[in-house]
Amino acid sequence: MMFKSLFFVITLVVTQSLAADHNTFKDCSRVDFCTNLRTRQPSNDYSVDPDTITTNANTLSATLRPNSGGTDLVLTLTGLQEDTFRVKIKEVDSGRYELVDVLDGEPKPTDFNGVARDDTSITVSTNSNSNSARVTFSPFSIEFSKDGLLEVVFDGDKLTLLETEVNAPFSFGVKFPQAVQLYGIHEHCETLALKNTAPGGTDPYRLKNSDVGGFEIESPMALYGSIPVLYGHGPKATSGVFLHNAAQQWVETTSSSAGTTQAYFMTEAGCLDLFVLLGPTPTQVVRQYTQLTGTAHLPQIWVLGYHQSRYSYDTQELVKDVAANFDSHNFQLDAIWLDIDYTDGFKYFTWNPDTFSDPVEMQNVLNGTNKKLVTIIDPHIKVEEGYNVYDGALAKDLFVKNADGSVFQGSCWPGLSSYMDFLNPEARDFYGSMYSYENFQSTTATLAGIWNDMNEPSVFDNSLEMTLPADAIHHGNVKHQEIHNIYGFLHTMSTHKGLLERDNATKRPFILTRSHFAGSQRFAAIWTGDNTADWPYLLAEVQECLNSNILGIVLCGSDVGGFFNNPSNELYERWYQLGAWLPFFRAHSTKDAERREPYLKPEDTQGVVRTALQTRYKHLPVWYTLAFEHTITGDPIVRPLFYQYPEDVSVYKIDDQLLLGRDILVRAVAEAGVESVDVYFPGGGNEVWVSETSDDVQAGNGKVAIPVTRENIPVYYRRGGIVVRKDTVRSNTAEMASDSFTIYYTVDENNTAHGTLYIDDGVSFKYRDENDYTYVNIEVSGDNVTISNIQGDGNYPVIIEKIVRRDIVQMPEGSQSGRYKEIVHTTDASGQLLKNVKIDPKNKTVLRLK
Ligand SMILES: *[C@@H]1O[C@H](CO)[C@@H](O)[C@H](O)[C@H]1NC(C)=O
Ligand SMILES: *[C@@H]1O[C@H](CO)[C@@H](O)[C@H](O)[C@H]1NC(C)=O
Ligand SMILES: *[C@@H]1O[C@H](CO)[C@@H](O)[C@H](O)[C@H]1NC(C)=O
Ligand SMILES: *[C@@H]1O[C@H](CO)[C@@H](O)[C@H](O)[C@H]1NC(C)=O
Ligand SMILES: *[C@@H]1O[C@H](CO)[C@@H](O)[C@H](O)[C@H]1NC(C)=O
């Protein structure tokens, strides 16, 4: 929820529209350092002094001399594993803040296996000389190549480092010679393919975590999170850069023909610490990035179910009533969420004694039907003597300070509030300990997840752009501006630690966070914040979550139905249909919106939503298997088409479609009143796509108008892939835990199909710590379905109930479309029921169908 809803109720009701407050949230022209740096002409300010160059096993160092007076800079260039280089540039004797918490461990260096020098440059190479970085002396630049292909140029022309009384901004340029399209720099409500910005035109993309109510579509305005990663992509190569810096940034982007695609970074403070990722495919560049910042651990299985939230379910009776209605109307539900009103006066870790007089009984009722509870916990702490969290944090000196050393106080939900200084490890420990059963009283294990909101952090002061002042002071005398963009990241780090301790590390914590940064995937899921019940925001859900998925944060979703305003029934139905295909699936709405739980809707709408929920639950094995594979590889769960089909330039701008893994293609229907939509079927002659909702078959030859009804959005399975489902849908994930599997496939031109399946206890870290899981390959060849172990020491039964083979008929060679016929096997060739065949997950089992 957000500030604005409290004060602009009348605007909401009368105009039914919202706009971001451009008075409060500045554009580049109102931010001094951005204005200065943006209009700076290329100036070749620095040259490498060849006499200062030194190299050791994996690092090159040199002094950069200013060409016209000023401070010397130090350049270090380090070779890293996974086809990555690291570039650091700072003043000699720099006092710039260096981030310590973001990376997932110290990056692993790799030795140079070549150093070559001439009069104008020095080149170092790694990975059997397949990667090289050539530093030119004057003009200064660094050219990064992979296998002889120039992929990234650090452009010294535009390098500037300044120091003023209030900040220490810097800028630099990066060129992507092979790229025709830039992606990344989450979070903006923007198309997946980044637009071109330019002085006099579109503002640069801003990264400054901000609580922006009524954010606008297709805008470079900063939103709640920042991932300073930019990918340059073209048919020949994909590469990327990650600016490891948590200060405010602005990024000018130009996507154009190969040779002219480039970006210009303008940063307020902190270090110029840049990772260069050489790909050269989208899969590799994403893996290189997650190697640095980590992957998500597996969610508990219930997290992948459906969640119901509202600002607010504000009495325990209402909570129980909503849960009961989901059951009695046959809608799946795994968790119900409590927004701020459950607290006693917005004091987190307390309960409102009037409206939640018996929270334990409420949790027991929820648990009785296998539902979980998630409650909101924000980072601002009510200033009130006698409130244990406030008293404890004050006594231990754990709040953010003003520049003069006094404790900062600002306004938020409780009124006067102070803000936990999460940069301080002691503050993280203290706040984390509040989640224990002892400290967060009247909570049981049914309270299974936590929602960290307002953690940009939000401060109700427009003159401060709704956040802490830039000169506020954190632990170690660090100015807020140096670490602004990781405040929410550190908040979730504290919560994650607290939740681990709460359950003695026996359960995988679940946290939803609004503010986030590079690496937040290690602690939390995200949602896209306070959106609006309007069609463009439905599309934005795909755009933003595809973006976050290629930037490591795989668990992403949006407020289904839209946070502000009331969706039409058609929009509401389409949102459920799409939400079922995004990793995090939660409905949420603001106070002024009409109640809109599915069971309150007309019967026909209920039917559409019921089908959408059932579709989600049937595909749980797909979601869970992909979530596991992400923990190993860093691969996205939902993927843009260009990720899987990098050479097809016509998919580069497609962002109304997603791939769930490799094998399921989904087209959002984000248009009102349509009877057909254009679907792009990728893959050229090699792929064929088989409809999930009709007997339609389409060759991967590009765009086709596909009819849509109210009941369905286009969903296709890839020929040659295998989709493992649980087709008996029950009320929630817990009740489906031991259900058997149904295998769907269509064989490819070689009469084969391939897939994987992952199973574990759905709750604990035993999968990670004790290899307690079953992970199998499923190979179809002709009439044989072979199930064999990939890895894992667990003994989770693979019980196959049915095998559904969809055979393409009526599709002559070279035609675009056809039909399929479904053949359902419940027995093997000997007549034995498939579900009675004991499959040994540790060994190979062949099911012969004929
Ligand atoms: C939930 O209910 C189950 C089944 O009755 C019980 O075993 C479990 O202890 C309960 N959990 C909580 C947190 O109350
Ligand atoms: C955690 O471990 C402590 C000490 O062994 C024990 O007292 C407590 O009950 C455990 N808590 C949980 C949630 O398992
Ligand atoms: C089918 O087999 C041929 C020959 O082995 C191979 O080149 C082709 O890639 C295979 N097709 C698929 C879809 O795997
Ligand atoms: C199926 O398995 C049988 C028995 O193992 C084998 O003889 C046959 O060649 C297999 N068929 C295919 C198409 O792999
Ligand atoms: C796997 O199956 C083969 C053949 O049936 C058998 O010889 C072998 O012992 C089995 N291995 C395990 C680990 O069960």
Side-chain angles (χ1 to χ4, degrees):
M1 87 264 68
M2 102 106 238
F3 178 53
K4 188 158 290 170
S5 60
L6 211 64
F7 297 90
F8 294 127
V9 172
I10 291 161
T11 319
L12 263 171
V13 170
V14 174
T15 68
Q16 291 288 303
S17 76
L18 287 159
D21 175 2
H22 289 271
N23 234 356
T24 297
F25 300 103
K26 296 171 182 168
D27 59 20
C28 178
S29 71
R30 288 171 60 210
V31 175
D32 285 346
F33 85 87
C34 190
T35 307
N36 289 342
L37 292 171
R38 195 180 197 204
T39 53
R40 219 171 153 83
Q41 295 308 310
S43 51
N44 286 321
D45 280 352
Y46 297 95
S47 300
V48 174
D49 179 346
D51 296 337
T52 61
I53 297 174
T54 60
T55 57
N56 66 21
N58 52 47
T59 301
L60 177 156
S61 307
T63 301
L64 296 177
R65 305 252 190 245
N67 293 334
S68 47
T71 315
D72 283 353
L73 306 180
V74 183
L75 161 75
T76 55
L77 169 66
T78 306
L80 298 178
Q81 291 179 14
E82 308 293 337
D83 303 326
T84 300
F85 285 99
R86 184 178 195 172
V87 177
K88 279 194 185 187
I89 296 175
K90 55 187 174 183
E91 296 86 354
V92 172
D93 301 326
S94 159
R96 289 172 183 272
Y97 179 72
E98 303 212 20
L99 284 183
V100 290
D101 298 302
V102 169
L103 299 177
D104 188 28
E106 195 52 35
K108 296 190 188 70
T110 192
D111 285 355
F112 295 147
N113 38 37
V115 179
R117 183 170 172 163
D118 60 28
D119 291 346
T120 61
S121 70
I122 179 166
T123 303
V124 294
S125 48
T126 64
N127 193 9
S128 314
N129 295 320
S130 85
N131 307 318
S132 68
R134 174 169 178 261
V135 181
T136 63
F137 302 155
S138 186
F140 163 60
S141 75
I142 315 177
E143 299 166 355
F144 297 90
S145 303
K146 177 152 193 61
D147 299 322
L149 201 62
L150 180 61
E151 289 194 7
V152 178
V153 179
F154 181 92
D155 186 3
D157 264 11
K158 294 186 180 167
L159 175 65
T160 306
L161 282 85
L162 303 172
E163 276 176 296
T164 76
E165 269 172 29
V166 296
N167 57 18
F170 65 84
S171 67
F172 61 94
V174 179
K175 294 176 178 164
F176 296 94
Q178 305 303 326
V180 300
Q181 183 60 58
L182 297 173
Y183 299 98
I185 45 175
H186 193 83
E187 179 183 26
H188 301 94
C189 187
E190 178 57 294
T191 52
L192 176 69
L194 294 170
K195 302 230 181 69
N196 291 353
T197 65
T202 310
D203 229 30
Y205 288 104
R206 189 185 198 192
L207 294 175
K208 181 184 183 187
N209 296 357
S210 303
D211 178 3
V212 184
F215 61 77
E216 294 151 11
I217 54 151
E218 297 201 19
S219 163
M221 277 181 91
L223 291 182
Y224 313 95
S226 295
I227 309 182
V229 174
L230 192 62
Y231 295 138
H233 174 70
K236 288 198 198 136
T238 314
S239 50
V241 294
F242 164 34
L243 181 58
H244 180 224
N245 177 300
Q248 174 184 185
Q249 301 177 22
W250 299 76
V251 187
E252 199 96 87
T253 52
T254 308
S255 298
S256 186
S257 51
T260 52
T261 295
Q262 56 188 301
Y264 177 54
F265 285 79
M266 298 164 274
T267 306
E268 184 172 25
C271 276
L272 196 177
D273 182 5
L274 188 75
F275 292 92
V276 177
L277 317 165
L278 293 180
T281 63
T283 303
Q284 284 164 298
V285 86
V286 173
R287 288 180 180 184
Q288 287 153 9
Y289 169 67
T290 53
Q291 192 72 27
L292 296 170
T293 58
T295 62
H297 57 68
L298 264 174
Q300 291 188 46
I301 186 90
W302 67 266
V303 172
L304 295 172
Y306 172 74
H307 303 249
Q308 181 65 41
S309 183
R310 178 170 170 86
Y311 172 32
S312 294
Y313 291 126
D314 53 10
T315 66
Q316 61 201 14
E317 278 68 38
L318 181 54
V319 171
K320 290 185 280 189
D321 177 67
V322 171
N325 270 295
F326 267 81
D327 285 339
S328 63
H329 290 81
N330 189 22
F331 291 111
Q332 286 66 42
L333 178 64
D334 264 84
I336 191 157
W337 290 52
L338 297 181
D339 208 320
I340 52 174
D341 296 301
Y342 80 91
T343 60
D344 181 9
F346 310 114
K347 288 178 284 191
Y348 303 105
F349 309 102
T350 69
W351 295 91
N352 182 317
D354 300 324
T355 49
F356 289 86
S357 57
D358 197 349
V360 171
E361 191 263 351
M362 174 187 73
Q363 288 165 83
N364 289 342
V365 168
L366 291 178
N367 182 56
T369 53
N370 283 311
K371 291 174 187 62
K372 311 291 186 195
L373 183 71
V374 179
T375 63
I376 201 165
I377 298 280
D378 290 349
H380 52 264
I381 303 297
K382 183 174 188 174
V383 173
E384 183 179 295
E385 274 176 42
Y387 170 35
N388 63 333
V389 184
Y390 176 76
D391 289 346
L394 193 66
K396 291 170 187 277
D397 195 18
L398 304 177
F399 286 126
V400 176
K401 308 274 179 51
N402 292 303
D404 68 6
S406 57
V407 171
F408 175 84
Q409 294 184 337
S411 170
C412 210
W413 299 122
L416 207 57
S417 304
S418 284
Y419 288 72
M420 295 302 302
D421 178 9
F422 293 111
L423 193 65
N424 184 348
E426 243 188 276
R428 296 202 292 265
D429 288 351
F430 170 79
Y431 185 88
S433 74
M434 289 299 139
Y435 291 102
S436 72
Y437 290 99
E438 188 187 1
N439 287 328
F440 194 174
Q441 286 187 10
S442 305
T443 65
T444 74
T446 298
L447 196 167
I450 291 294
W451 177 13
N452 283 160
D453 193 22
M454 306 296 277
N455 49 358
E456 294 71 28
S458 182
V459 180
F460 295 164
D461 184 340
N462 291 343
S463 73
L464 294 172
E465 288 196 289
M466 294 278 287
T467 194
L468 291 171
D471 65 355
I473 300 294
H474 292 268
H475 179 64
N477 211 23
V478 177
K479 274 194 196 175
H480 182 69
Q481 67 189 8
E482 308 273 2
I483 60 119
H484 174 77
N485 285 343
I486 57 166
Y487 186 87
F489 171 97
L490 296 169
H491 181 208
T492 60
M493 183 190 265
S494 168
T495 299
H496 195 269
K497 184 163 188 276
L499 293 182
L500 280 176
E501 285 164 6
R502 173 178 167 93
D503 286 308
N504 292 342
T506 58
K507 290 181 183 163
R508 308 166 200 157
F510 173 65
I511 300 163
L512 181 72
T513 183
R514 193 169 68 183
S515 173
H516 51 273
F517 190 72
S520 283
Q521 64 268 20
R522 303 202 300 275
F523 309 118
I526 62 169
W527 91 110
T528 61
D530 298 342
N531 60 0
T532 301
D534 200 356
W535 291 93
Y537 292 88
L538 174 56
L539 179 59
E541 174 178 20
V542 197
Q543 297 165 329
E544 289 187 51
C545 288
L546 285 176
N547 200 12
S548 84
N549 261 262
I550 58 172
L551 298 169
I553 306 185
V554 288
L555 291 176
C556 174
S558 78
D559 288 348
V560 171
F563 179 72
F564 292 116
N565 296 359
N566 302 307
S568 66
N569 286 339
E570 185 191 6
L571 175 59
Y572 180 86
E573 293 165 12
R574 293 296 188 212
W575 216 313
Y576 272 90
Q577 290 171 329
L578 178 66
W581 293 105
L582 283 158
F584 176 63
F585 189 17
R586 184 190 73 156
H588 183 59
S589 55
T590 188
K591 268 194 155 62
D592 326 303
E594 286 161 17
R595 286 275 303 278
R596 57 163 102 118
E597 293 74 17
Y599 56 82
L600 297 174
K601 292 287 179 181
E603 283 295 331
D604 45 357
T605 295
Q606 290 196 28
V608 173
V609 171
R610 200 170 283 119
T611 303
L613 290 173
Q614 289 178 359
T615 299
R616 169 62 168 224
Y617 280 76
K618 283 178 185 171
H619 289 87
L620 281 169
V622 176
W623 287 102
Y624 203 51
T625 300
L626 286 166
F628 171 70
E629 288 170 349
H630 164 82
T631 69
I632 297 176
T633 59
D635 293 350
I637 294 177
V638 290
R639 305 167 184 178
L641 295 193
F642 87 86
Y643 174 92
Q644 217 63 65
Y645 301 93
E647 289 168 23
D648 182 356
V649 294
S650 38
V651 305
Y652 290 3
K653 286 190 157 58
I654 293 181
D655 58 12
D656 55 6
Q657 291 181 213
L658 63 85
L659 288 158
L660 172 58
R662 232 185 114 194
D663 294 334
I664 303 182
L665 177 73
V666 179
R667 163 63 152 88
V669 177
E671 303 98 321
V674 288
E675 288 176 356
S676 82
V677 294
D678 283 342
V679 180
Y680 189 97
F681 293 96
N686 299 326
E687 305 277 41
V688 175
W689 299 89
V690 175
S691 175
E692 170 31 34
T693 54
S694 73
D695 63 353
D696 186 41
V697 175
Q698 296 287 335
N701 288 326
K703 205 184 274 182
V704 179
I706 297 292
V708 290
T709 63
R710 181 173 178 184
E711 281 68 35
N712 287 303
I713 62 174
V715 175
Y716 285 75
Y717 293 172
R718 196 176 64 85
R719 183 184 75 167
I722 289 178
V723 174
V724 183
R725 310 194 336 192
K726 286 192 174 181
D727 276 355
T728 306
V729 176
R730 304 179 199 278
S731 313
N732 49 57
T733 54
E735 289 169 19
M736 293 170 64
S738 52
D739 282 344
S740 52
F741 299 96
T742 298
I743 290 175
Y744 286 80
Y745 66 87
T746 300
V747 291
D748 62 19
E749 77 236 36
N750 299 331
N751 221 5
T752 63
H754 170 75
T756 53
L757 173 65
Y758 174 84
I759 317 169
D760 69 8
D761 67 19
V763 175
S764 80
F765 280 111
K766 286 185 192 163
Y767 80 97
R768 189 189 64 190
D769 302 334
E770 300 168 25
N771 287 328
D772 180 33
Y773 59 85
T774 293
Y775 181 43
V776 295
N777 246 321
I778 307 173
E779 299 280 351
V780 174
S781 177
D783 293 320
N784 299 342
V785 178
T786 305
I787 296 168
S788 57
N789 183 48
I790 303 174
Q791 59 193 50
D793 301 332
N795 236 328
Y796 294 90
V798 182
I799 300 169
I800 311 290
E801 173 153 332
K802 277 187 291 188
I803 296 180
V804 180
R805 177 180 175 138
R806 288 167 167 177
D807 283 348
I808 298 172
V809 291
Q810 292 177 30
M811 188 158 176
E813 185 76 23
S815 58
Q816 171 61 41
S817 65
R819 301 260 163 263
Y820 69 78
K821 196 169 123 243
E822 209 166 77
I823 300 166
V824 180
H825 294 273
T826 53
T827 57
D828 67 9
S830 72
Q832 180 169 204
L833 283 176
L834 288 172
K835 67 177 172 201
N836 291 340
V837 178
K838 171 111 180 64
I839 293 173
D840 176 2
K842 302 253 182 60
N843 209 347
K844 198 150 104 171
T845 307
V846 181
L847 300 171
R848 300 204 57 195
L849 297 183
K850 265 198 234 145

